């Protein structure tokens, strides 16, 4: 009575890798039966056609370690499946599979910059600013929005459905400069989330100078009726 059996395990790396990095997993293959196995092969569906382990024979109870790798996709996690096959010395074919889901190191980030108009604006005039929003993380950002506190809180100045890693987009806007102001502080906040639903935000403030023209005027008028010598003059 022979019971040919194969047991296979797969473990994720201790430290998650970034998208595009080499994810190296480890595993074991064990002859869990009571008869020697031959032509033992272990394949991983993401590591390609080359086996990650081979053995001409594997005696009952013997455990062998192996490692393999593949390029981590741009995703929140990745699942790979190991398939172990072999044949007993009596010619009975056996197989076993195991899957492991490994997390991927995602670093979503967003950066906002803004610039005042080249020429300062007069009080009550229209100030036109410009800026950029950039995805400086390693994951695509979705539903990117830039809001400003002028002319009112949470005023939307830019939106885009998605922003790839390393990509940036420009935006412009305008607001009315307050009366009786020497400068104006304007804040911009970029908001987005990656495909793993992790939210990111970044805020920047700029101080724009207002063109002021301070002046004072004085007038002086003589009295309507001329004064006599030695008398008072009321001006």
């Amino acid at each position: 009575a022979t019971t040919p059996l194969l047991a296979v395990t797969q473990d994720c790396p201790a430290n998650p890798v970034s998208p595009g990095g080499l994810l190296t997993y480890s595993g074991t293959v064990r002859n869990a039966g009571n008869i020697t196995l031959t032509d033992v092969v272990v394949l991983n569906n993401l590591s390609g056609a080359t086996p990650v382990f081979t053995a001409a024979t594997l005696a009952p109870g013997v455990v062998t370690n192996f490692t393999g790798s593949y390029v981590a996709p741009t995703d929140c996690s990745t699942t790979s499946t190991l398939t172990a096959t072999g044949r007993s010395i009596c010619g009975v074919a056996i197989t076993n599979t195991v899957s492991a889901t490994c997390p991927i190191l995602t670093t979503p980030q967003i950066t906002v910059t803004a610039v005042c108009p080249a020429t300062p604006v007069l009080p009550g005039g229209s100030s036109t600013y410009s800026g950029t929003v950039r995805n400086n993380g390693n994951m695509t950002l979705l539903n990117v929005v830039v809001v400003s506190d002028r002319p009112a809180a949470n005023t939307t100045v830019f939106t885009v459905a998605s922003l790839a890693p390393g990509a940036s987009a420009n935006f412009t806007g305008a607001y009315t400069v307050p009366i009786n102001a020497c400068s104006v502080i304007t804040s911009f906040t970029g908001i987005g989330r990656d495909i793993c639903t992790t939210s990111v935000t970044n805020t920047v403030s700029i101080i724009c100078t207002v063109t002021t023209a301070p002046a004072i005027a004085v007038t002086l008028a003589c009295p309507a009726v001329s004064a006599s010598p030695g008398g008072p003059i009321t001006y």
Side-chain angles (χ1 to χ4, degrees), residues 68-91:
S69 62
Y70 58 88
V71 176
T74 303
D75 209 336
C76 312
S77 62
T78 177
T79 300
S80 65
T81 300
L82 289 174
T83 301
T85 58
R87 185 178 297 274
S88 76
I89 58 175
C90 299

Side-chain angles (χ1 to χ4, degrees), residues 114-149:
V115 180
C116 297
T119 303
V121 182
L122 293 169
S126 179
S127 177
T128 301
Y129 57 81
S130 60
T132 61
V133 56
R134 177 179 174 83
N135 179 352
N136 53 345
N138 65 356
M139 299 291 287
T140 296
L141 296 178
L142 306 175
N143 301 325
V144 176
V145 178
V146 178
V147 297
S148 174
D149 60 348

